[in-house]
Amino acid sequence: ELLRSQVPVQASLQILQELGEQLKQQVDTSAASAIQSDHLSLAQRLAGVEQALNRQLTALQTGVQDYETFNKQLESLDCWLVEAEEALRAQDPNGCTDLAVIQDRMEELKKLMLKFSSMTPELEHLNELGYRLPLNDSEIKRMQNLNRSWSTASAQTTERFSKLQSFLLQQQTFLEKCETWMDFLLQTEENMAVEISGNYQSLIDQQKAHELFQAEMFSRQQILHSIISDGQRMLEQGQVDDRDEFNMKLTLLSNQWQGVVRRAQQRRGIIDGLIRQWQRYREMVEKLRKWLLEVSHPVEVLQAGNTIPLQQARSMLDAVQVHDNPYLNA
């Protein structure tokens, strides 16, 4: 409303300038300079007010957008969590003799577990927004409930999946476990062979994919533990001919997995680092754009060819130098 009210003021200033031009033709040089200086001072003050209003309006609009985004994401995550909790109300087939039924339930829990992992960045972003925004007591409580329920449901999903997988592993032979594990290792090597892209959106997609990958790694790690446990029991019971070679292979499996975990962590660190650089870059670009808009207002006043004192010109020049621009310095 204040910005709109400036329109008639600008019109009045234009009329004042026209009257000033007429007066300057009828007075001496000193008086003409005073008229010119008064008009320029008024124009600059008006431009300063407009600049301040635009800056404040931009800040308020950004706050409103963040608040709308917060509420939209909060509602979305709340709704999904309700669906997840509904899926967890179903009974697990603990002790069931039909392995197909157990595998079906494990697949359901696995999908749920991977979904939790893939949506974790969204929850983190929501929390970041919540810290910046002036939330009321009701919204703060809703956020706290979401985080608490999310943590509980995620942990429960993982625990129930592990319990069913443990039961399933008890029904498998040592050879079947090894075949399953080697298939998983092959899949893992293929996933980590994908080149890391430098494009921002591709990096975001790769980050989400890596969240799923880490959840898959966690769920599959139980297979390796079962293989090593079975192998050690076989050694103790004398079921292995070449004990040294067999023991070496068990150690190799464990070391190989540790290497995979380290490479996965390094890959995740690279992806996260590149994303942070992109985010920093985009923030700086936006701040620089706003800063350029701010410093352009005083310059626009002079576009009609008006003259200004030398000292003022120097001050305006200094204002647009790189060393006075914290965004370019950053």
Side-chain angles (χ1 to χ4, degrees), residues 53-166:
L53 288 172
N54 275 310
R55 186 164 53 244
Q56 181 68 7
L57 183 61
T58 299
L60 290 171
Q61 287 173 337
T62 301
V64 169
Q65 290 171 358
D66 285 345
Y67 200 78
E68 290 174 347
T69 300
F70 172 83
N71 280 295
K72 183 177 180 181
Q73 288 189 349
L74 178 59
E75 183 65 27
S76 174
L77 292 178
D78 256 340
C79 289
W80 182 81
L81 188 57
V82 169
E83 294 178 9
E85 290 173 336
E86 182 65 28
L88 288 172
R89 289 192 183 94
Q91 293 295 319
D92 295 337
N94 295 313
C96 179
T97 56
D98 190 340
L99 297 184
V101 173
I102 295 177
Q103 289 173 333
D104 287 344
R105 181 55 177 168
M106 283 179 60
E107 189 63 27
E108 292 175 4
L109 291 172
K110 178 182 174 181
K111 289 179 180 178
L112 196 59
M113 190 166 55
L114 296 180
K115 187 69 172 178
F116 270 115
S117 295
S118 67
M119 295 183 72
T120 295
E122 295 183 30
L123 180 64
E124 292 174 350
H125 182 250
L126 181 68
N127 283 316
E128 290 173 3
L129 280 177
Y131 293 141
R132 295 203 308 261
L133 294 173
L135 304 180
N136 57 41
D137 291 343
S138 175
E139 291 163 336
I140 292 174
K141 185 175 181 180
R142 191 177 174 190
M143 272 295 302
Q144 291 173 339
N145 288 338
L146 173 65
N147 279 283
R148 184 166 48 251
S149 298
W150 185 285
S151 178
T152 300
S154 178
Q156 186 181 2
T157 303
T158 302
E159 180 183 354
R160 289 167 63 172
F161 175 87
S162 297
K163 187 175 181 180
L164 288 176
Q165 182 169 247
S166 177

Side-chain angles (χ1 to χ4, degrees), residues 41 44 91 97 123 153 183 236 243 255 261 327:
S41 176
Q44 289 175 339
Q91 293 295 319
T97 56
L123 180 64
D183 288 342
E236 292 172 359
R243 295 174 57 86
N255 292 340
V261 171
Y327 309 121

Side-chain angles (χ1 to χ4, degrees), residues 13 23 32 60 84-85 87 89 105 142 153 157 163 170-171 184 186 209 218 245 248 251 283 288 291 329:
L13 188 62
L23 281 173
L60 290 171
E85 290 173 336
R89 289 192 183 94
R105 181 55 177 168
R142 191 177 174 190
T157 303
K163 187 175 181 180
Q170 293 174 12
Q171 316 306 314
F184 169 64
L186 179 61
F218 177 80
E245 182 181 359
M248 183 181 68
T251 303
E283 290 172 2
L288 177 59
W291 180 82
N329 267 342

Side-chain angles (χ1 to χ4, degrees), residues 164-180:
L164 288 176
Q165 182 169 247
S166 177
F167 177 79
L168 187 63
L169 287 171
Q170 293 174 12
Q171 316 306 314
Q172 291 181 324
T173 66
F174 181 77
L175 181 60
E176 288 173 337
K177 295 174 186 178
C178 289
E179 290 175 348
T180 301

Side-chain angles (χ1 to χ4, degrees), residues 291 295 314-321 324-325:
W291 180 82
V295 300
R314 285 175 177 164
S315 298
M316 294 178 66
L317 179 61
D318 288 342
V320 293
Q321 293 300 316
D324 275 349
N325 183 356

